[in-house]
Amino acid sequence: MLHYEFMRIAFLVALLLGITLPLIGSGVVYKRLSSSGDALAHSSLAGVAIGLAAGLNPLLISIIACVISFLIIEILRKKFAKFSEIGVVVVLSASIGVAGILSRYATSANFDSYLFGSILLISNTELFITIALCIGAILFFLLTYSQMFASLYSEDEAKVAGIKVNLINFIHSLLLSITVAVGAKVVGSLVVSSMIVLPIAVALQFKKGYRYTIIIAIVVSLISMLGGLTISYYGDWPPGATIVLLSIAILLLVFLIKGIILLIRRLSPSK
C-alpha cells in the first residue's frame, strides 16, 4: 500500500488533519457551536463551485469563502444576540443556494470530489497548506492553552483577568475556517464537520479534564483517519465516508463498553 506515492501523501495528510481537527474542533464543541462547522462546510462547497465556475483554484476560493462566511456569522450573531443560531442558518442556507446554482457551471467530477473528499488526489500545494495549517494549529494551542481554557470556562471572567478573548476567538475561528476548507478537500464537505465533532464526542465520554480530553480526541481522530484510509484502500470504499463511519463505530463502541461497565457495577454485590 505504502509503495504508492499517492498513498504516502494521503497518509501524511490524514496524519496532519488527524491532529489539526481535534485541536480546532475542541473549542467549537465546548462553546456549543458545532452547527457552525456545518455552515462553514457548506460555505466551502460554495467556494469550490465559485472557483470551478470561474476557472480559479477551488481550494483557495473555498478558504476565502469560509473566512467570509465566518465573519458574516459573527456579525449576525451580534445582530441577533438572543438568537445567535440564526446567523449559522442564514450562512448555511445561502451557501447551499450558491453551491446549487454554480455547480451547474462546474465540472461534475471535480465538484463531486469536494462533496465526498479526494484524499488520494492531494496536490503538492494542498499538502503544503495542510502542513502549514497543522503547524499553525499546534502553535495556537500551545501558546494560548491557558487563555483558551479560561475563555471556554467563562468569557466574562477571562476578560476581567485581562485575557484578549476577542482576539483569541477571532484567530481560533479563522483557523477553523481554513481547517474546514482543507478538510472538505480530504474527507468531503458533507462529512468534514462530523470529523470536527466526533473525536471530541468520544473523548468527552471519558470525563477527563480539558487537557486529557484533547489528547484522547487526537488519538481517536488519528485512529479514524489512518484506520479509515487503510480500510478504504483494501475495501475499495470512499475514504471520506469510511473515515467518518469508523469514527461513529468508535463512539458506539465506547457507549457499549460504558454500558457494560455500568451494568456490571449495578449487578455486583455492594460491599
Side-chain angles (χ1 to χ4, degrees):
M1 177 175 60
L2 292 178
H3 57 277
Y4 294 112
E5 183 180 2
F6 71 89
M7 286 302 299
R8 292 195 295 270
I9 294 176
F11 267 92
L12 176 58
V13 171
L15 175 67
L16 295 170
L17 278 180
I19 297 171
T20 304
L21 288 170
L23 287 178
I24 301 301
S26 60
V28 176
V29 175
Y30 275 104
K31 292 178 182 178
R32 295 176 173 81
L33 296 174
S34 300
S35 58
S36 297
D38 283 325
L40 292 177
H42 285 82
S43 299
S44 73
L45 197 57
V48 168
I50 294 172
L52 292 175
L56 302 172
N57 186 308
L59 180 59
L60 178 60
I61 303 302
S62 177
I63 292 174
I64 294 174
C66 283
V67 172
I68 293 175
S69 296
F70 144 68
L71 293 174
I72 294 174
I73 289 175
E74 287 299 306
I75 292 173
L76 292 178
R77 281 180 61 192
K78 294 178 180 179
K79 291 287 185 179
F80 301 96
K82 296 182 179 180
F83 306 96
S84 57
E85 71 278 2
I86 289 179
V88 174
V89 175
V90 169
V91 170
L92 189 148
S93 303
S95 300
I96 292 176
V98 172
I101 293 176
L102 293 183
S103 63
R104 295 175 57 87
Y105 303 96
T107 305
S108 177
N110 290 337
F111 188 73
D112 289 346
S113 70
Y114 279 87
L115 278 173
F116 303 103
S118 54
I119 193 172
L120 302 181
L121 301 175
I122 299 296
S123 66
N124 289 333
T125 300
E126 292 162 349
L127 174 60
F128 294 143
I129 291 176
T130 307
I131 293 173
L133 175 62
C134 184
I135 294 173
I138 293 173
L139 288 176
F140 174 78
F141 180 79
L142 294 177
L143 295 176
T144 65
Y145 174 80
S146 299
Q147 296 93 323
M148 190 70 178
F149 178 77
S151 64
L152 291 175
Y153 179 77
S154 173
E155 286 195 359
D156 292 334
E157 291 184 14
K159 289 179 180 178
V160 171
I163 297 175
K164 298 180 180 179
V165 174
N166 292 334
L167 177 61
I168 291 176
N169 287 342
F170 177 82
I171 297 174
H172 175 263
S173 298
L174 186 63
L175 286 172
L176 173 65
S177 302
I178 300 173
T179 301
V180 169
V182 175
K185 170 67 176 179
V186 176
V187 297
S189 296
L190 298 181
V191 295
V192 64
S193 59
S194 301
M195 285 309 301
I196 290 176
V197 176
L198 284 173
I200 303 296
V202 174
L204 288 174
Q205 301 308 309
F206 293 88
K207 296 182 179 179
K208 299 295 183 180
Y210 178 65
R211 179 183 303 174
Y212 289 103
T213 297
I214 301 300
I215 293 173
I216 295 171
I218 291 175
V219 172
V220 172
S221 180
L222 288 174
I223 293 174
S224 301
M225 296 291 288
L226 301 179
L229 187 56
T230 302
I231 294 172
S232 69
Y233 175 82
Y234 288 107
D236 195 22
W237 297 340
T242 307
I243 289 170
V244 171
L245 287 178
L246 181 56
S247 297
I248 293 176
I250 294 173
L251 179 60
L252 294 177
L253 179 62
V254 171
F255 283 152
L256 178 61
I257 293 174
K258 286 187 65 178
I260 293 174
I261 293 174
L262 181 61
L263 181 61
I264 292 174
R265 287 177 178 175
R266 287 180 177 178
L267 295 177
S268 61
S270 58
K271 295 181 180 181

